[in-house]
Amino acid sequence: MAEIFRADIYKLRKSRSVRVCLIVSFFLGVLMSIMYYVAWQEMTKTIEETQKMIEGMGDYSGIVMEAMDILPSDDLWSYINVSLCDLNVLYIAAVAIGIFVGSEYSMGTMRNPLTRGFSRNSVFFSKLISSVIVMVLTAFVYAVGSAVPGMILFGFSAKLSAGNILLCLALYLLLFIAAASFYTMLAVLTKRTGYAIALAIIIPIVVTAVVNVIKIGNHDFGNISRFWLFETITNTQKLVKNGEAFVPAISGAVYLTLSTVIGYGVFRKQSIS
């Protein structure tokens, strides 16, 4: 497996799409950080009006409050955290992973290592580990971009304890690995770059929208929906602060296991030409 993994890493280093995604991640991180800062400042100026507006929304108020909870406060960690729980970074990584894995099918190069005697196990897990690297790199670059304005504005500061920050980072890493496995599974199932990217973006949007609609009519459903991977990522810090770190831990472990098992099972059986 070491030889094919080195080949995949070489492809990642030479991949123009991966480089573009990393550059976009950095500058989007900077832009979103500035926008969050402006939104936070405007909200604090009109806190009474904002509160009345939210209270007047009735059943929708809970969803609005969840969205507003994501806005960073005046410390550097808040800006790093908001970048890590921002689903934009996942969509960027989905594009990079979809191109990296899906193009192997489209160009017919997925079969090359198999014809050279490499096992399907090695090929699949090499692609999976490479996808995890793409995901982690994208999230890291996005967080660095988001941290630049935060560091200029607030220096090195954090209101959350060091222990909880480390716990959040560990949980984010697990959840990002699970997301990378999910995207790899989609690329293997579809065997097409475009389909893999489209599904990787559409599925989270549609499922999250359905979940939010159900929560309006059934507030108890929120206890179940928080295990939905993409909602878990958004609420990771909130869950840690509430003493519910087990939720992202379970969610990440389950999605990682299911995605890997399904992707690996399909890859072993599918025809590759």
Side-chain angles (χ1 to χ4, degrees):
M1 177 176 167
E3 184 177 346
I4 190 166
F5 180 63
R6 284 196 296 269
D8 280 337
I9 294 298
Y10 178 79
K11 291 177 185 177
L12 285 181
R13 291 172 56 190
K14 296 295 183 180
S15 173
R16 183 176 301 176
S17 60
V18 172
R19 290 199 298 270
V20 169
C21 286
L22 292 178
I23 293 172
V24 170
S25 294
F26 177 80
F27 287 105
L28 184 60
V30 174
L31 176 62
M32 291 302 296
S33 183
I34 294 173
M35 292 176 64
Y36 279 129
Y37 175 75
V38 173
W40 175 256
Q41 295 303 310
E42 290 300 317
M43 187 184 74
T44 53
K45 288 179 184 177
T46 59
I47 190 67
E48 291 185 6
E49 290 83 352
T50 302
Q51 186 66 35
K52 291 178 181 178
M53 177 195 71
I54 294 173
E55 291 174 353
M57 289 185 173
D59 291 336
Y60 292 93
S61 61
I63 296 175
V64 176
M65 284 303 297
E66 286 182 10
M68 293 183 68
D69 282 342
I70 298 175
L71 290 175
S73 54
D74 53 350
D75 66 283
L76 176 60
W77 164 251
S78 291
Y79 282 81
I80 294 175
N81 177 71
V82 80
S83 68
L84 294 174
C85 71
D86 187 347
L87 297 184
N88 286 325
V89 68
L90 296 183
Y91 298 144
I92 296 173
V95 173
I97 293 173
I99 293 174
F100 174 69
V101 180
S103 63
E104 295 275 11
Y105 287 102
S106 302
M107 296 187 298
T109 55
M110 185 67 81
R111 67 186 297 273
N112 290 348
L114 299 176
T115 59
R116 291 165 51 198
F118 290 101
S119 67
R120 292 199 176 211
N121 295 5
S122 299
V123 173
F124 175 81
F125 284 104
S126 176
K127 294 289 184 282
L128 176 59
I129 296 172
S130 299
S131 296
V132 168
I133 292 173
V134 171
M135 172 65 73
V136 174
L137 275 176
T138 304
F140 175 76
V141 171
Y142 191 73
V144 170
S146 183
V148 170
M151 188 166 55
I152 294 173
L153 291 167
F154 309 113
F156 294 94
S157 56
K159 294 180 179 178
L160 197 66
S161 67
N164 279 341
I165 289 176
L166 291 175
L167 179 56
C168 284
L169 290 173
L171 292 172
Y172 278 127
L173 178 60
L174 173 61
L175 293 167
F176 289 150
I177 292 173
S181 180
F182 178 74
Y183 293 147
T184 303
M185 177 195 70
L186 291 179
V188 169
L189 289 175
T190 60
K191 300 172 65 175
R192 293 290 187 275
T193 300
Y195 293 164
I197 295 174
L199 288 176
I201 295 174
I202 292 172
I203 289 176
I205 292 175
V206 172
V207 173
T208 301
V210 171
V211 165
N212 287 335
V213 170
I214 295 175
K215 284 196 296 184
I216 294 174
N218 184 358
H219 296 291
D220 293 335
F221 186 72
N223 292 325
I224 300 174
S225 66
R226 61 184 181 165
F227 287 96
W228 164 233
L229 177 62
F230 296 91
E231 183 168 328
T232 307
I233 292 174
T234 302
N235 295 316
T236 295
Q237 178 175 269
K238 180 180 177 181
L239 291 167
V240 168
K241 291 169 69 175
N242 292 341
E244 297 178 304
F246 66 90
V247 173
I250 293 173
S251 177
V254 169
Y255 281 99
L256 172 59
T257 301
L258 287 177
S259 298
T260 302
V261 169
I262 294 172
Y264 175 66
V266 170
F267 186 77
R268 288 197 63 183
K269 302 293 184 181
Q270 70 185 180
S271 174
I272 299 177
S273 57

